[in-house]
Amino acid sequence: MQQREEKQLEASVESLISRVAHLKNALHNFIYKLENEYDRLTWPSVLDNFALLSGQLNTINKLLRNEKTPSFRNQVIIPLLLSPDRDEELAKLTEQRVPVFSHEIVPDHLRTKPDPEVEEQEKQLSAEAARIGPELAQKQIQTLNKLCSNLLEKLNNPRDDRDAESAAIRQNKPSFNPADTNALVAAVGFGKGLSKCRPPGPVAPGHPGQGAMMTGGPTLQQVTIGGAPGQAGMGGPPPQQQGQPGKMPSSIKTNIKSASGSMHPYNR
């Protein structure tokens, strides 16, 4: 009877090791594709790899739940030999992941409970859950279910409905102020609301009349030409008499002749 149980245990362990090896190879191939073939990887192929991994995990779970499989929980593993030296056979079995079976490694590989830090966090979470009353817990559950339902409803709605809702929101919410637009149009078109007085500009030295032009509007400086009093011009000939051709006054002719005579090089 004992030999039969031992053989059954060995067969179950070998079958489990084979299934885990298949799962490990599938994981290795998938990781290799993600790291080296990500540019050619498509979403359907990713889903196929996930489906393969999920199927292999389900197969391992079925194998563990099978009636013919002995309960591994009742089996105890005891390390018979601990050594700080390198074990080549162990390194080969573990693909160089565990080269030494020492006192430092055994607690991690043969642990049947979570780490002390994880156990402490679990105790804190359990204590917080125990402090929450049934009514408050029910309210939090209802709120979470409501949020999940709204999120699922938004995800299940067609894209056209979401586009229509966003377009309606944009139409109902104006992006400008009509009063500001009307005031801007009135100011540009009719000068409404603009200040009529301009600030006086600084008068530069040596430029007479510039301040008057800036403050009192456009003016012209009048220059009196030597001759008869009352004749003034703007740098051009005086106004002509009606019906007569334009003639230069004798005073202007005399001034021009005297000036040209003084500037001639032989009259110096």
Side-chain angles (χ1 to χ4, degrees), residues 211-228:
M213 292 176 65
M214 294 295 293
T215 56
T219 59
L220 295 176
Q221 184 180 2
Q222 298 180 356
V223 180
T224 303
I225 301 177

Side-chain angles (χ1 to χ4, degrees), residues 14 19 45 53 63 183 211 218:
E14 290 179 357
R19 300 293 183 182
S45 63
L53 296 175
L63 178 64

